[in-house]
Amino acid sequence: MPTEATFILAGLFIVAAGLGWLFARYSVRNHGEPPPPPVNADYLRGLNFVLNRQTDDALELFMRMAKVDDDTLETHFALGHLFRRRGEVERAIRVHQNLLARPNLNESQRHQALFSLAQDYLGAGLFDRAEKLFSELRGSPTLGQAALENLVDIYERESDWTKAIEAHRELEVMTGEKSSQVAHYYCELAERARLSGNLDLARQYLKSSVRSETGAFRGTLIRAAIAQEEEDFAQALRLYEQVLETDQRLMVEVLPQLVACYEATNRQQELERYLERLIAKGDDVKKNLAFAVIINGLTAPPIFRDCVEAFILQHDVIATLIDTVHFSELPQANREQAILRITRGLRQLALSSARYRCTSCGYSTQRLIWHCPSCKAWETIRPIQAFQFERLVA
Ligand SMILES: [Zn+2]
């Protein structure tokens, strides 16, 4: 139902329109020109309906006013906008449909009414209707860009990546700016084709994903998965290692695949040598590796256990929970058992907490996703890489 503020604002529109008429009338008289027609009584009746909170009666009146008075057009747009903002989408739709029924709208006014109606449909969740109207406005000199931006939003919601690419291409021509989003759309199509078993089609889409740095990065991951599926393990390893050398934040995702590829080719010792080379590049590598080992419950090769042990002994909280001196003096077999127990506990803790968070809006999730469902940003979701101990006492 309309709120009091709706009525007050609607009243203000009518009063403003009435004052405009009076001002015009007064100005004209002072210049000795013929007086305009008498004041439209509908303004006063409309104000009365609004003040008495008779919204539907007021609406009917506004619609009749629009048929006779061009000056009320902006009042209608403002009122429709207000209804939509208040969640009264059906009323907003009626206002804008009524405007569109006027035969004497010029092109700009018609486009504005179409755009407003499309926004109403969007607000009501009627995406197919909104899409149809925004599509009509693609070529509008004033609203073409905004219409295309809304179309991109609709196609993203519907995961219609082919149409999203088309709309974005048009936007790029219009604005002269290249967007990295399109590369992600191609990655989405490639991933879909890969999952349906059409690897050739997936490869075709991936050719277009290299148009941006982020798309190329994600594309490399999909290429690696395709190579692994085709049992081209040498190629898969080359691509997975390329991902880790570019950005280690995906260690949690990549490490199990790396282990599987080395095991499939019976080259476990080479895996250890590769990881040793990686660790030698920086302190963070060991921590990222330990985290990936714990989350994925990996036990071999022995370098994994060494990384986890170092992680446990250096961790601010975990190290205080165990007697590190006693722990270090334990026989090898007992120490390994203790590490396994702690690893299992940490894994359970990590899997029951959010593991990824959007750097843009704070949305958190358990799995890696590239498109934030909350703020709609692309590639803003990052691994948290920390154990949330507060959950132990929650
Ligand atoms: Zn977000």
Side-chain angles (χ1 to χ4, degrees):
M1 287 300 290
T3 63
E4 193 166 348
T6 309
F7 287 105
I8 292 169
L9 280 168
L12 285 174
F13 290 135
I14 294 176
V15 170
L19 285 174
W21 179 86
L22 285 172
F23 178 75
R25 190 174 190 225
Y26 178 77
S27 309
V28 169
R29 273 193 176 171
N30 270 357
H31 288 84
E33 292 174 14
V39 64
N40 189 337
D42 283 343
Y43 279 123
L44 300 176
R45 288 178 56 216
L47 180 60
N48 196 36
F49 281 139
V50 166
L51 291 177
N52 286 318
R53 303 186 181 188
Q54 292 170 262
T55 313
D56 288 327
D57 290 335
L59 256 183
E60 293 302 324
L61 194 67
F62 291 139
M63 290 172 191
R64 286 207 303 276
M65 283 160 67
K67 283 175 190 165
V68 295
D69 189 349
D70 219 32
D71 293 340
T72 59
L73 205 63
E74 286 307 316
T75 308
H76 275 70
F77 279 123
L79 196 70
H81 181 72
L82 188 70
F83 278 136
R84 190 188 329 119
R85 287 276 305 273
R86 295 279 171 193
E88 298 165 47
V89 183
E90 282 182 21
R91 286 197 170 94
I93 289 172
R94 283 192 64 199
V95 169
H96 293 131
Q97 279 177 334
N98 187 263
L99 281 180
L100 279 168
R102 293 183 62 182
N104 55 340
L105 289 183
N106 62 34
E107 187 189 65
S108 168
Q109 290 168 337
R110 187 172 170 279
H111 285 180
Q112 196 185 343
L114 274 175
F115 191 85
S116 299
L117 185 58
Q119 285 183 307
D120 297 338
Y121 286 144
L122 208 55
L126 301 168
F127 297 128
D128 52 341
R129 290 190 196 184
E131 181 200 342
K132 190 168 170 289
L133 295 188
F134 283 132
S135 281
E136 275 187 49
L137 292 166
R138 287 173 110 114
S140 166
T142 49
L143 292 164
Q145 185 178 336
L148 281 168
E149 285 166 355
N150 275 283
L151 281 173
V152 166
D153 184 48
I154 291 171
Y155 296 141
E156 281 190 357
R157 282 173 195 251
E158 294 177 336
S159 302
D160 191 337
W161 308 115
T162 308
K163 283 188 176 174
I165 290 168
E166 282 172 19
H168 236 292
R169 292 258 192 248
E170 279 184 56
L171 260 180
E172 286 178 355
V173 171
M174 200 175 276
T175 61
E177 290 172 15
K178 203 172 168 183
S179 159
S180 62
Q181 274 169 255
V182 177
H184 278 286
Y185 300 157
Y186 279 112
C187 285
E188 293 286 342
L189 286 169
E191 190 66 348
R192 191 182 285 172
R194 181 182 80 82
L195 293 173
S196 68
N198 194 341
L199 301 184
D200 286 336
L201 182 63
R203 268 190 281 265
Q204 275 181 33
Y205 286 132
L206 286 172
K207 281 182 190 162
S208 301
S209 72
V210 294
R211 50 183 273 138
S212 82
E213 204 175 307
T214 55
F217 180 72
R218 186 180 170 193
T220 305
L221 267 178
I222 302 172
R223 274 193 192 87
I226 290 174
Q228 193 175 351
E229 271 178 46
E230 291 180 325
E231 300 190 351
D232 183 354
F233 296 112
Q235 169 75 346
L237 281 172
R238 192 182 67 74
L239 293 167
Y240 282 132
E241 289 173 6
Q242 191 180 316
V243 167
L244 285 186
E245 274 151 35
T246 311
D247 191 342
Q248 279 187 29
R249 72 204 159 122
L250 289 180
M251 180 75 86
V252 170
E253 305 290 327
V254 170
L255 192 62
Q257 312 308 328
L258 215 57
V259 171
C261 289
Y262 274 109
E263 278 180 355
T265 46
N266 209 18
R267 293 159 61 202
Q268 288 90 333
Q269 285 187 336
E270 280 184 52
L271 170 62
E272 281 207 75
R273 284 201 291 276
Y274 166 70
L275 293 173
E276 279 164 6
R277 285 199 303 277
L278 207 61
I279 288 169
K281 289 184 180 174
D283 293 339
D284 279 351
V285 182
K286 214 167 179 177
K287 188 182 162 196
N288 289 336
L289 196 57
F291 207 84
V293 168
I294 292 168
I295 299 283
N296 290 295
L298 300 171
T299 51
I303 194 170
F304 286 172
R305 195 180 53 241
D306 296 344
C307 283
V308 173
E309 183 172 348
F311 174 78
I312 289 170
L313 293 174
Q314 288 163 17
H315 194 281
D316 291 344
V317 177
I318 305 169
T320 59
L321 297 175
I322 58 172
D323 182 346
T324 51
V325 176
H326 173 70
F327 183 83
S328 303
E329 288 169 353
L330 284 175
Q332 176 76 10
N334 293 17
R335 204 163 72 238
E336 284 177 13
Q337 284 301 314
I339 291 170
L340 271 178
R341 275 200 306 276
I342 296 170
T343 302
R344 275 200 294 272
L346 288 174
R347 182 163 183 262
Q348 278 182 357
L349 178 64
L351 294 183
S352 64
S353 320
R355 289 173 45 212
Y356 295 89
R357 185 170 294 133
C358 176
T359 52
S360 171
C361 73
Y363 174 84
S364 56
T365 168
Q366 267 288 326
R367 64 187 182 91
L368 173 67
I369 43 179
W370 298 89
H371 189 207
C372 177
S374 174
C375 71
K376 312 293 178 201
W378 285 89
E379 216 181 337
T380 51
I381 293 185
R382 299 275 187 271
I384 293 175
Q385 297 281 65
F387 294 101
Q388 296 170 43
F389 289 103
E390 69 273 15
R391 289 192 65 83
L392 289 175
V393 289

